[in-house]
Amino acid sequence: MNDRFASHLRETMAARHLKQVDLVRAAQKAGVKLGKSHVSQYVAGKTVPRTETLNFLAEVLDVDPDWLVGNTEHARRHDAGDRDNGRQPTETSDATIPHTSATSSETASSMPDLPQHSPHDHPSATTTPTNPTSTNQSATNIKPEGATMRRFNKSTKLDNVLYDVRGPVVDEAARMEQAGMHVMKLNIGNPAPFGFRTPDEVVYDMSQQLTETEGYSASKGLFSARKAIMQYAQLKNLPNVGIEDVYTGNGVSELINLCMSALLDNGDEVLIPSPDYPLWTACVNLAGGTAVHYVCDEQSEWYPDIDDMRAKITDRTVAIVLINPNNPTGALYPPEVLQQIVDLAREHQLMIFSDEIYDRLVMDGLKHVSIASMAPDLFCVTFSGLSKSHMIAGYRIGWMVLSGNKSIAKDYIEGINMLTNMRICSNVPAQSIVQTALGGHQSVNDYIVPGGRIYEQRDYIYNALNSIPGVTAVKPKAAFYIFPKLDVEKFNITDDEQFALDLLHDKRILITRGGGFNWHEPDHFRIVYLPRIEVLKDAVDKLTDFLSYYRQ
């Protein structure tokens, strides 16, 4: 059904000369909750809207909702009724787009005005439309006469869950690759495709232990892995940490989801940075909570705006999320900023969740400080792992450490333990190499000093982006991302997803739009600077040429 709905939606939008943003603006005028990312998912065939949203889209597009969703049997009966009443279906696309039963004047009077576009405008998705009458006839034949088929909709809990790091623009890139086009991928922090190799010792140790890791481990993880993580946490000065406070996970992502599910009741609020790593916002919303975004200030090295954070605390706020080093900005927060956040959490009795997955990718001689080390009287959960620092993202090994005043979180910890037990355990072969990875020489250190790949690529992309007219960027201090700003007036940009799609179509470069990180202006995008300098240079040359003529 998803594919048929997406095909019909794209076909109708093209016939009406409408873009995705037109549907969003119509929804805003009508008071309907419909965001850009939702429309993009519909167009890409990722999901089908709920009934009320479907009816709204059908009314805006002046088509039959049953036909739009792919229920052609109902649409045929509807068309027949139109003919009986002396009305002919629309002639566009060989009369395959049926109108609703409302007259044109009724639709025009009840719906918001939509902007007009020239026939040369095109929707962001470029897949060739399919014929809506080509349905699965065997499924139609077994349906009882006159019966309405039950529809299975996604949970309402997913209404505010989006993850554009792997979203509609990535789907379009995949379609282009399937058509034989080469796409330069600067959208995701996955080291392996860019020539970063797992340390030989890590691979060797896993291979030696494979036969010993065929069964489940304890729910929290192998003793050896948790012991090594505990010692690492102690070296980072996390207070009051024992081995029972360490949990391994299939990457940090699984543990974030687990922690939010164990904590939040409907309406509980969690402060999350903007821009953020979007999984945090998604997991809070999925758990029934409300993600409240505090601003990180680009003019102040992307540090959190403490005044904004304070202003957004209410009696429903339960926790503050910190991403340090930050993704997508590459910012590293100094102790004085961390202290202000600790003071705020202490004043309002809030938990602190600190995502520190990039804590071993810090450059310029700077030092990462764990915020939990500054808050022994508060309850903190600190996340880290090996995916980035040891270039083993596919191994899926992360962890979280509970620290500080655990006595105030006993009931919550019981909830964490329950969910930890329910998922049985994390990837055991990956757990087996934690001790090896955290001990001995850290190969990542060779990458983040002058002459090292990440360091040199960081310097190149920072200088190159700032040399493009209309583009500025703050120099990252850690990780391998940069979050440049576009002059929206110069380029007339109102839709950052459309910008990403246009860049993809014109130059075969895939980036992630700023809105994908819950940044609410269309003026930023993220670049992953893991490719070698010659690849980055090619990307910058293409971006420079693109921006020399691009106007949205």
PDB file of all heavy atoms in Angstrom, residues 152-177:
ATOM      1  N   PHE A 152      -4.353  -1.236   8.790  1.00  0.00           N
ATOM      2  CA  PHE A 152      -3.460  -1.263   9.949  1.00  0.00           C
ATOM      3  C   PHE A 152      -2.545  -0.044   9.884  1.00  0.00           C
ATOM      4  O   PHE A 152      -1.686   0.055   9.012  1.00  0.00           O
ATOM      5  CB  PHE A 152      -2.642  -2.559   9.971  1.00  0.00           C
ATOM      6  CG  PHE A 152      -3.488  -3.783  10.132  1.00  0.00           C
ATOM      7  CD1 PHE A 152      -3.964  -4.474   9.025  1.00  0.00           C
ATOM      8  CD2 PHE A 152      -3.837  -4.237  11.386  1.00  0.00           C
ATOM      9  CE1 PHE A 152      -4.748  -5.595   9.167  1.00  0.00           C
ATOM     10  CE2 PHE A 152      -4.626  -5.352  11.548  1.00  0.00           C
ATOM     11  CZ  PHE A 152      -5.096  -6.044  10.431  1.00  0.00           C
ATOM     12  N   ASN A 153      -2.764   0.874  10.793  1.00  0.00           N
ATOM     13  CA  ASN A 153      -2.008   2.119  10.808  1.00  0.00           C
ATOM     14  C   ASN A 153      -0.860   2.049  11.805  1.00  0.00           C
ATOM     15  O   ASN A 153      -0.903   1.268  12.761  1.00  0.00           O
ATOM     16  CB  ASN A 153      -2.924   3.292  11.183  1.00  0.00           C
ATOM     17  CG  ASN A 153      -4.019   3.532  10.165  1.00  0.00           C
ATOM     18  OD1 ASN A 153      -3.798   3.369   8.974  1.00  0.00           O
ATOM     19  ND2 ASN A 153      -5.197   3.897  10.631  1.00  0.00           N
ATOM     20  N   LYS A 154       0.126   2.867  11.594  1.00  0.00           N
ATOM     21  CA  LYS A 154       1.215   2.956  12.562  1.00  0.00           C
ATOM     22  C   LYS A 154       0.695   3.563  13.857  1.00  0.00           C
ATOM     23  O   LYS A 154      -0.313   4.265  13.892  1.00  0.00           O
ATOM     24  CB  LYS A 154       2.371   3.795  12.013  1.00  0.00           C
ATOM     25  CG  LYS A 154       2.047   5.275  11.858  1.00  0.00           C
ATOM     26  CD  LYS A 154       3.260   6.056  11.366  1.00  0.00           C
ATOM     27  CE  LYS A 154       2.921   7.536  11.241  1.00  0.00           C
ATOM     28  NZ  LYS A 154       4.049   8.331  10.778  1.00  0.00           N
ATOM     29  N   SER A 155       1.399   3.314  14.927  1.00  0.00           N
ATOM     30  CA  SER A 155       1.028   3.848  16.237  1.00  0.00           C
ATOM     31  C   SER A 155       1.109   5.366  16.240  1.00  0.00           C
ATOM     32  O   SER A 155       1.989   5.959  15.610  1.00  0.00           O
ATOM     33  CB  SER A 155       1.976   3.287  17.307  1.00  0.00           C
ATOM     34  OG  SER A 155       1.868   4.001  18.518  1.00  0.00           O
ATOM     35  N   THR A 156       0.188   5.981  16.967  1.00  0.00           N
ATOM     36  CA  THR A 156       0.237   7.440  17.107  1.00  0.00           C
ATOM     37  C   THR A 156       1.509   7.879  17.821  1.00  0.00           C
ATOM     38  O   THR A 156       1.906   9.039  17.726  1.00  0.00           O
ATOM     39  CB  THR A 156      -0.982   7.951  17.890  1.00  0.00           C
ATOM     40  OG1 THR A 156      -1.049   7.279  19.161  1.00  0.00           O
ATOM     41  CG2 THR A 156      -2.270   7.669  17.125  1.00  0.00           C
ATOM     42  N   LYS A 157       2.149   6.961  18.547  1.00  0.00           N
ATOM     43  CA  LYS A 157       3.404   7.302  19.216  1.00  0.00           C
ATOM     44  C   LYS A 157       4.507   7.658  18.221  1.00  0.00           C
ATOM     45  O   LYS A 157       5.506   8.270  18.594  1.00  0.00           O
ATOM     46  CB  LYS A 157       3.858   6.134  20.106  1.00  0.00           C
ATOM     47  CG  LYS A 157       2.982   5.896  21.313  1.00  0.00           C
ATOM     48  CD  LYS A 157       3.521   4.789  22.201  1.00  0.00           C
ATOM     49  CE  LYS A 157       3.416   3.439  21.542  1.00  0.00           C
ATOM     50  NZ  LYS A 157       3.798   2.338  22.451  1.00  0.00           N
ATOM     51  N   LEU A 158       4.324   7.268  16.955  1.00  0.00           N
ATOM     52  CA  LEU A 158       5.327   7.569  15.934  1.00  0.00           C
ATOM     53  C   LEU A 158       5.059   8.875  15.206  1.00  0.00           C
ATOM     54  O   LEU A 158       5.832   9.266  14.332  1.00  0.00           O
ATOM     55  CB  LEU A 158       5.385   6.421  14.914  1.00  0.00           C
ATOM     56  CG  LEU A 158       5.982   5.107  15.415  1.00  0.00           C
ATOM     57  CD1 LEU A 158       5.753   3.999  14.406  1.00  0.00           C
ATOM     58  CD2 LEU A 158       7.467   5.263  15.700  1.00  0.00           C
ATOM     59  N   ASP A 159       3.983   9.570  15.572  1.00  0.00           N
ATOM     60  CA  ASP A 159       3.628  10.797  14.853  1.00  0.00           C
ATOM     61  C   ASP A 159       4.734  11.840  14.905  1.00  0.00           C
ATOM     62  O   ASP A 159       4.924  12.602  13.964  1.00  0.00           O
ATOM     63  CB  ASP A 159       2.331  11.391  15.412  1.00  0.00           C
ATOM     64  CG  ASP A 159       1.100  10.617  14.966  1.00  0.00           C
ATOM     65  OD1 ASP A 159       1.249   9.739  14.094  1.00  0.00           O
ATOM     66  OD2 ASP A 159       0.009  10.873  15.503  1.00  0.00           O
ATOM     67  N   ASN A 160       5.452  11.915  16.014  1.00  0.00           N
ATOM     68  CA  ASN A 160       6.505  12.921  16.167  1.00  0.00           C
ATOM     69  C   ASN A 160       7.897  12.306  16.166  1.00  0.00           C
ATOM     70  O   ASN A 160       8.841  12.878  16.692  1.00  0.00           O
ATOM     71  CB  ASN A 160       6.294  13.718  17.461  1.00  0.00           C
ATOM     72  CG  ASN A 160       5.019  14.523  17.434  1.00  0.00           C
ATOM     73  OD1 ASN A 160       4.732  15.200  16.452  1.00  0.00           O
ATOM     74  ND2 ASN A 160       4.224  14.428  18.495  1.00  0.00           N
ATOM     75  N   VAL A 161       8.009  11.110  15.583  1.00  0.00           N
ATOM     76  CA  VAL A 161       9.292  10.416  15.528  1.00  0.00           C
ATOM     77  C   VAL A 161       9.842  10.499  14.109  1.00  0.00           C
ATOM     78  O   VAL A 161       9.245   9.973  13.177  1.00  0.00           O
ATOM     79  CB  VAL A 161       9.147   8.942  15.962  1.00  0.00           C
ATOM     80  CG1 VAL A 161      10.456   8.195  15.774  1.00  0.00           C
ATOM     81  CG2 VAL A 161       8.697   8.858  17.414  1.00  0.00           C
ATOM     82  N   LEU A 162      10.959  11.187  13.960  1.00  0.00           N
ATOM     83  CA  LEU A 162      11.588  11.341  12.653  1.00  0.00           C
ATOM     84  C   LEU A 162      13.088  11.093  12.803  1.00  0.00           C
ATOM     85  O   LEU A 162      13.682  11.358  13.845  1.00  0.00           O
ATOM     86  CB  LEU A 162      11.349  12.749  12.097  1.00  0.00           C
ATOM     87  CG  LEU A 162       9.885  13.129  11.868  1.00  0.00           C
ATOM     88  CD1 LEU A 162       9.770  14.605  11.553  1.00  0.00           C
ATOM     89  CD2 LEU A 162       9.274  12.301  10.753  1.00  0.00           C
ATOM     90  N   TYR A 163      13.705  10.579  11.714  1.00  0.00           N
ATOM     91  CA  TYR A 163      15.135  10.329  11.741  1.00  0.00           C
ATOM     92  C   TYR A 163      15.674  10.583  10.338  1.00  0.00           C
ATOM     93  O   TYR A 163      15.873   9.665   9.547  1.00  0.00           O
ATOM     94  CB  TYR A 163      15.429   8.894  12.198  1.00  0.00           C
ATOM     95  CG  TYR A 163      16.898   8.634  12.445  1.00  0.00           C
ATOM     96  CD1 TYR A 163      17.544   9.138  13.571  1.00  0.00           C
ATOM     97  CD2 TYR A 163      17.644   7.877  11.545  1.00  0.00           C
ATOM     98  CE1 TYR A 163      18.890   8.895  13.791  1.00  0.00           C
ATOM     99  CE2 TYR A 163      18.992   7.627  11.753  1.00  0.00           C
ATOM    100  CZ  TYR A 163      19.595   8.137  12.883  1.00  0.00           C
ATOM    101  OH  TYR A 163      20.937   7.896  13.103  1.00  0.00           O
ATOM    102  N   ASP A 164      15.895  11.855  10.037  1.00  0.00           N
ATOM    103  CA  ASP A 164      16.253  12.251   8.675  1.00  0.00           C
ATOM    104  C   ASP A 164      17.706  11.979   8.320  1.00  0.00           C
ATOM    105  O   ASP A 164      18.098  12.163   7.160  1.00  0.00           O
ATOM    106  CB  ASP A 164      15.940  13.731   8.459  1.00  0.00           C
ATOM    107  CG  ASP A 164      14.472  13.951   8.101  1.00  0.00           C
ATOM    108  OD1 ASP A 164      13.710  12.973   8.196  1.00  0.00           O
ATOM    109  OD2 ASP A 164      14.101  15.075   7.739  1.00  0.00           O
ATOM    110  N   VAL A 165      18.531  11.547   9.304  1.00  0.00           N
ATOM    111  CA  VAL A 165      19.888  11.146   8.945  1.00  0.00           C
ATOM    112  C   VAL A 165      19.818   9.993   7.943  1.00  0.00           C
ATOM    113  O   VAL A 165      20.653   9.853   7.051  1.00  0.00           O
ATOM    114  CB  VAL A 165      20.679  10.734  10.200  1.00  0.00           C
ATOM    115  CG1 VAL A 165      22.041  10.171   9.830  1.00  0.00           C
ATOM    116  CG2 VAL A 165      20.853  11.953  11.113  1.00  0.00           C
ATOM    117  N   ARG A 166      18.798   9.151   8.108  1.00  0.00           N
ATOM    118  CA  ARG A 166      18.474   8.138   7.105  1.00  0.00           C
ATOM    119  C   ARG A 166      17.012   8.340   6.726  1.00  0.00           C
ATOM    120  O   ARG A 166      16.149   7.574   7.139  1.00  0.00           O
ATOM    121  CB  ARG A 166      18.710   6.729   7.650  1.00  0.00           C
ATOM    122  CG  ARG A 166      20.172   6.423   7.921  1.00  0.00           C
ATOM    123  CD  ARG A 166      20.412   4.952   8.157  1.00  0.00           C
ATOM    124  NE  ARG A 166      21.818   4.655   8.339  1.00  0.00           N
ATOM    125  CZ  ARG A 166      22.329   3.418   8.364  1.00  0.00           C
ATOM    126  NH1 ARG A 166      21.534   2.394   8.216  1.00  0.00           N
ATOM    127  NH2 ARG A 166      23.619   3.226   8.528  1.00  0.00           N
ATOM    128  N   GLY A 167      16.756   9.378   5.966  1.00  0.00           N
ATOM    129  CA  GLY A 167      15.390   9.768   5.658  1.00  0.00           C
ATOM    130  C   GLY A 167      15.140   9.884   4.168  1.00  0.00           C
ATOM    131  O   GLY A 167      15.788   9.214   3.354  1.00  0.00           O
ATOM    132  N   PRO A 168      14.207  10.752   3.776  1.00  0.00           N
ATOM    133  CA  PRO A 168      13.774  10.850   2.383  1.00  0.00           C
ATOM    134  C   PRO A 168      14.887  11.204   1.389  1.00  0.00           C
ATOM    135  O   PRO A 168      14.888  10.699   0.271  1.00  0.00           O
ATOM    136  CB  PRO A 168      12.714  11.952   2.429  1.00  0.00           C
ATOM    137  CG  PRO A 168      12.214  11.950   3.832  1.00  0.00           C
ATOM    138  CD  PRO A 168      13.398  11.604   4.676  1.00  0.00           C
ATOM    139  N   VAL A 169      15.817  12.077   1.787  1.00  0.00           N
ATOM    140  CA  VAL A 169      16.896  12.441   0.861  1.00  0.00           C
ATOM    141  C   VAL A 169      17.814  11.242   0.630  1.00  0.00           C
ATOM    142  O   VAL A 169      18.280  10.993  -0.486  1.00  0.00           O
ATOM    143  CB  VAL A 169      17.690  13.648   1.394  1.00  0.00           C
ATOM    144  CG1 VAL A 169      18.788  14.048   0.409  1.00  0.00           C
ATOM    145  CG2 VAL A 169      16.767  14.837   1.652  1.00  0.00           C
ATOM    146  N   VAL A 170      18.049  10.470   1.691  1.00  0.00           N
ATOM    147  CA  VAL A 170      18.859   9.254   1.548  1.00  0.00           C
ATOM    148  C   VAL A 170      18.143   8.240   0.661  1.00  0.00           C
ATOM    149  O   VAL A 170      18.771   7.546  -0.154  1.00  0.00           O
ATOM    150  CB  VAL A 170      19.169   8.646   2.933  1.00  0.00           C
ATOM    151  CG1 VAL A 170      19.946   7.340   2.801  1.00  0.00           C
ATOM    152  CG2 VAL A 170      19.962   9.644   3.773  1.00  0.00           C
ATOM    153  N   ASP A 171      16.827   8.146   0.806  1.00  0.00           N
ATOM    154  CA  ASP A 171      16.052   7.242  -0.051  1.00  0.00           C
ATOM    155  C   ASP A 171      16.189   7.632  -1.521  1.00  0.00           C
ATOM    156  O   ASP A 171      16.316   6.777  -2.403  1.00  0.00           O
ATOM    157  CB  ASP A 171      14.577   7.262   0.348  1.00  0.00           C
ATOM    158  CG  ASP A 171      14.337   6.672   1.728  1.00  0.00           C
ATOM    159  OD1 ASP A 171      15.185   5.882   2.179  1.00  0.00           O
ATOM    160  OD2 ASP A 171      13.311   7.008   2.347  1.00  0.00           O
ATOM    161  N   GLU A 172      16.159   8.929  -1.781  1.00  0.00           N
ATOM    162  CA  GLU A 172      16.314   9.401  -3.160  1.00  0.00           C
ATOM    163  C   GLU A 172      17.718   9.087  -3.682  1.00  0.00           C
ATOM    164  O   GLU A 172      17.892   8.701  -4.845  1.00  0.00           O
ATOM    165  CB  GLU A 172      16.042  10.902  -3.235  1.00  0.00           C
ATOM    166  CG  GLU A 172      16.274  11.539  -4.603  1.00  0.00           C
ATOM    167  CD  GLU A 172      15.334  11.025  -5.687  1.00  0.00           C
ATOM    168  OE1 GLU A 172      14.422  10.223  -5.387  1.00  0.00           O
ATOM    169  OE2 GLU A 172      15.527  11.417  -6.850  1.00  0.00           O
ATOM    170  N   ALA A 173      18.727   9.215  -2.824  1.00  0.00           N
ATOM    171  CA  ALA A 173      20.095   8.860  -3.227  1.00  0.00           C
ATOM    172  C   ALA A 173      20.194   7.376  -3.567  1.00  0.00           C
ATOM    173  O   ALA A 173      20.866   6.986  -4.532  1.00  0.00           O
ATOM    174  CB  ALA A 173      21.078   9.227  -2.111  1.00  0.00           C
ATOM    175  N   ALA A 174      19.522   6.543  -2.767  1.00  0.00           N
ATOM    176  CA  ALA A 174      19.526   5.100  -3.042  1.00  0.00           C
ATOM    177  C   ALA A 174      18.870   4.799  -4.386  1.00  0.00           C
ATOM    178  O   ALA A 174      19.338   3.942  -5.155  1.00  0.00           O
ATOM    179  CB  ALA A 174      18.813   4.358  -1.913  1.00  0.00           C
ATOM    180  N   ARG A 175      17.776   5.513  -4.697  1.00  0.00           N
ATOM    181  CA  ARG A 175      17.112   5.324  -5.982  1.00  0.00           C
ATOM    182  C   ARG A 175      18.051   5.709  -7.135  1.00  0.00           C
ATOM    183  O   ARG A 175      18.120   5.006  -8.150  1.00  0.00           O
ATOM    184  CB  ARG A 175      15.843   6.172  -6.051  1.00  0.00           C
ATOM    185  CG  ARG A 175      15.009   5.939  -7.304  1.00  0.00           C
ATOM    186  CD  ARG A 175      14.052   7.081  -7.561  1.00  0.00           C
ATOM    187  NE  ARG A 175      14.745   8.328  -7.855  1.00  0.00           N
ATOM    188  CZ  ARG A 175      15.303   8.600  -9.037  1.00  0.00           C
ATOM    189  NH1 ARG A 175      15.267   7.721 -10.015  1.00  0.00           N
ATOM    190  NH2 ARG A 175      15.905   9.759  -9.228  1.00  0.00           N
ATOM    191  N   MET A 176      18.781   6.799  -6.947  1.00  0.00           N
ATOM    192  CA  MET A 176      19.712   7.242  -7.979  1.00  0.00           C
ATOM    193  C   MET A 176      20.841   6.221  -8.178  1.00  0.00           C
ATOM    194  O   MET A 176      21.245   5.939  -9.307  1.00  0.00           O
ATOM    195  CB  MET A 176      20.270   8.619  -7.616  1.00  0.00           C
ATOM    196  CG  MET A 176      19.222   9.726  -7.683  1.00  0.00           C
ATOM    197  SD  MET A 176      19.756  11.292  -6.914  1.00  0.00           S
ATOM    198  CE  MET A 176      21.177  11.705  -7.939  1.00  0.00           C
ATOM    199  N   GLU A 177      21.333   5.670  -7.072  1.00  0.00           N
ATOM    200  CA  GLU A 177      22.386   4.655  -7.183  1.00  0.00           C
ATOM    201  C   GLU A 177      21.879   3.416  -7.905  1.00  0.00           C
ATOM    202  O   GLU A 177      22.600   2.804  -8.703  1.00  0.00           O
ATOM    203  CB  GLU A 177      22.908   4.294  -5.794  1.00  0.00           C
ATOM    204  CG  GLU A 177      23.779   5.370  -5.171  1.00  0.00           C
ATOM    205  CD  GLU A 177      24.403   4.934  -3.861  1.00  0.00           C
ATOM    206  OE1 GLU A 177      23.691   4.328  -3.035  1.00  0.00           O
ATOM    207  OE2 GLU A 177      25.606   5.206  -3.660  1.00  0.00           O
TER     208      GLU A 177
END
